[in-house]
Amino acid sequence: MSDHQLRVSKIPRGTVIDHIRAGQALNVLAILGIDGLGGETVSIGMNVPSDRMGHKDIVKVEGRELSQDEVDVLSLIAPEATINIIREYEVVEKQYLERPERVVGVLSCPNHNCITNADEPVETKFEVLDDGVRCEYCETIVREDIAAHIAVE
């Protein structure tokens, strides 16, 4: 198979997340809340050859377009990724990720003493740093495995 052949077929409509750092596709699925039980049709390519990146991951989710919150969190773990919105088998919109200045309500603070982990109606707020995120309440910095801190609804 040449590198120019499609490894996964085109989707009729939905989202293709391309140029994900190799090994991060499962974290992308976690961010999107996809666990295989929701009925979504999902295609994943992991460690696929890439001229630009050496190797990359790619995720295709049929019938779903991403929310801005999902895109913001994706930018934290896959800043090189591109989001392609597909309709009628064609790319109708291509979005390059930009890291937001802050993310609200999508990550949980690992500090058990943080006000966001008490039984208080406080939404988490994290400032985005060059190398991680910082809780705006307790100043805890998360640099590793940000995907593990995605708030489960």
Side-chain angles (χ1 to χ4, degrees):
M1 173 186 289
S2 80
D3 286 343
H4 299 290
Q5 289 179 307
L6 283 176
R7 293 176 185 264
V8 179
S9 62
K10 288 184 170 190
I11 62 174
R13 63 183 188 81
T15 302
V16 175
I17 307 159
D18 198 1
H19 301 105
I20 303 165
R21 189 177 304 132
Q24 291 293 316
L26 298 180
N27 287 331
V28 167
L29 292 179
I31 286 170
L32 301 179
I34 295 172
D35 59 8
L37 301 175
E40 300 98 337
T41 300
V42 178
S43 303
I44 305 169
M46 297 180 77
N47 295 305
V48 177
S50 166
D51 291 337
R52 191 168 101 194
M53 302 176 70
H55 286 87
K56 67 178 181 178
D57 290 356
I58 185 169
V59 173
K60 296 183 177 189
V61 183
E62 291 188 39
R64 178 169 164 188
E65 295 184 14
L66 304 188
S67 71
Q68 190 58 51
D69 281 347
E70 290 170 326
V71 171
D72 286 349
V73 177
L74 273 179
S75 74
L76 300 178
I77 68 155
E80 312 88 358
T82 53
I83 310 289
N84 297 304
I85 303 301
I86 310 298
R87 296 189 189 122
E88 312 264 331
Y89 295 94
E90 298 294 327
V91 175
V92 295
E93 181 183 333
K94 182 179 283 250
Q95 182 177 3
Y96 296 92
L97 295 185
E98 293 181 19
R99 290 168 68 96
E101 292 181 13
R102 68 197 304 235
V103 289
V104 177
V106 290
L107 297 174
S108 59
C109 184
N111 177 356
H112 297 294
N113 294 320
C114 181
I115 186 72
T116 62
N117 288 317
D119 287 330
E120 301 291 334
V122 178
E123 198 168 41
T124 61
K125 296 177 184 174
F126 285 85
E127 177 186 358
V128 177
L129 310 172
D130 288 341
D131 62 345
V133 293
R134 176 177 36 234
C135 177
E136 292 187 8
Y137 296 101
C138 71
E139 303 289 317
T140 296
I141 295 177
V142 179
R143 287 191 174 94
E144 301 294 321
D145 202 12
I146 290 172
H149 299 285
I150 297 162
V152 180
E153 296 189 13

